[in-house]
Amino acid sequence: DGGITQSPKYLFRKEGQNVTLSCEQNLNHDAMYWYRQDPGQGLRLIYYSQIVNDFQKGDIAEGYSVSREKKESFPLTVTSAQKNPTAFYLCASTFGQHGHGYTFGSGTRLTVV
Amino acid sequence: AQSVTQLDSQVPVFEEAPVELRCNYSSSVSVYLFWYVQYPNQGLQLLLKYLSGSTLVKGINGFEAEFNKSQTSFHLRKPSVHISDTAEYFCAVSEYNYGQNFVFGPGTRLSVLP
């Protein structure tokens, strides 16, 4: 079945370390997104990519980086510059046409220890 | 710019009672509207969407929503809730002319009590 796979489900990071969250989709979707979710704050957009080799900053891009070398993959790196990285991270994708909803992955919970 | 408001951050309701989760949006152009559900430690799942046509939209798990253009609302309803409906619900809007990017509301936590 087609879908979005996020890995790992749980991730622990020491302060000062970079860590990369994986997001892979086999839906042939054009656009992919990364959101951060904190309790009581809904979803906040980190980065998005509408085509391969192109991506745009979202509302809270500082301390994060992404790449889009393949249509299927959109990894997110949480760098040491991100001061408060503990959160639930969600990846989503959609077709380029209007009106299609997002398909979400099951999320990665990142905890800084 | 578009925005989405969900007036109720938490809604407690007894099992088998009806429920309405409110969503209002602001936009200067036509929009597509969506409701998503999120169970604990999971991703978001699409409940239903309004693209055009009939203003009453039926979704999965017995939910429905009504689009009201004059009131810029898209409230979610279910006539009889179950314990398993306990979750976070998000309203989202996408403008016709803005591409695929969504704006999500802050979410409403529905708690169904026995």
Side-chain angles (χ1 to χ4, degrees):
Chain A
D1 286 341
I4 296 184
T5 301
Q6 287 188 243
S7 61
K9 189 167 181 64
Y10 298 95
L11 188 58
F12 296 89
R13 190 195 91 174
K14 293 182 179 179
E15 286 192 23
Q17 284 184 337
N18 292 356
V19 64
T20 298
L21 283 60
S22 172
C23 178
E24 303 276 337
Q25 55 97 358
N26 60 2
L27 299 165
N28 199 32
H29 283 172
D30 304 300
M32 298 186 73
Y33 303 79
W34 275 105
Y35 287 90
R36 170 179 171 141
Q37 189 176 26
D38 297 280
Q41 294 196 40
L43 283 75
R44 292 185 290 170
L45 183 63
I46 305 172
Y47 268 99
Y48 65 98
S49 168
Q50 296 186 343
I51 57 172
V52 175
N53 292 322
D54 186 55
F55 48 83
Q56 306 296 327
K57 292 182 179 180
D59 302 319
I60 56 164
E62 184 175 353
Y64 300 97
S65 66
V66 294
S67 64
R68 186 87 185 276
E69 298 177 359
K70 299 186 301 181
K71 188 175 185 178
E72 302 79 17
S73 178
F74 191 42
L76 173 73
T77 297
V78 184
T79 74
S80 56
Q82 169 52 234
K83 299 305 180 187
N84 185 21
T86 294
F88 190 54
Y89 291 87
L90 286 163
C91 181
S93 69
T94 188
F95 285 112
Q97 295 84 357
H98 294 290
H100 290 276
Y102 285 9
T103 299
F104 282 85
S106 57
T108 294
R109 185 165 297 281
L110 173 64
T111 303
V112 174
V113 296
Chain B
Q2 52 191 334
S3 66
V4 179
T5 303
Q6 292 180 247
L7 294 173
D8 306 302
S9 60
Q10 298 186 56
V11 174
V13 62
F14 287 106
E15 193 173 17
E16 298 183 4
V19 70
E20 177 179 84
L21 306 183
R22 295 179 293 172
C23 173
N24 289 87
Y25 69 92
S26 66
S27 174
S28 57
V29 300
S30 297
V31 297
Y32 300 110
L33 295 157
F34 304 81
W35 275 100
Y36 285 84
V37 60
Q38 184 181 32
Y39 300 102
N41 292 314
Q42 294 185 25
L44 277 69
Q45 178 184 1
L46 181 65
L47 271 178
L48 48 78
K49 61 182 177 182
Y50 172 78
L51 304 182
S52 64
S54 173
T55 56
L56 183 62
V57 181
K58 294 190 182 298
I60 63 172
N61 301 341
F63 283 93
E64 62 181 31
E66 186 158 19
F67 170 57
N68 187 319
K69 187 175 182 179
S70 63
Q71 297 187 5
T72 60
S73 68
F74 191 53
H75 301 331
L76 182 71
R77 303 185 183 100
K78 187 170 183 178
S80 176
V81 295
H82 303 287
I83 296 287
S84 60
D85 293 322
T86 295
E88 188 93 17
Y89 291 80
F90 292 93
C91 182
V93 61
S94 174
E95 292 182 338
Y96 280 19
N97 299 326
Y98 191 65
Q100 317 94 310
N101 290 11
F102 281 23
V103 173
F104 286 89
T108 296
R109 179 166 297 279
L110 174 64
S111 298
V112 180
L113 310 171

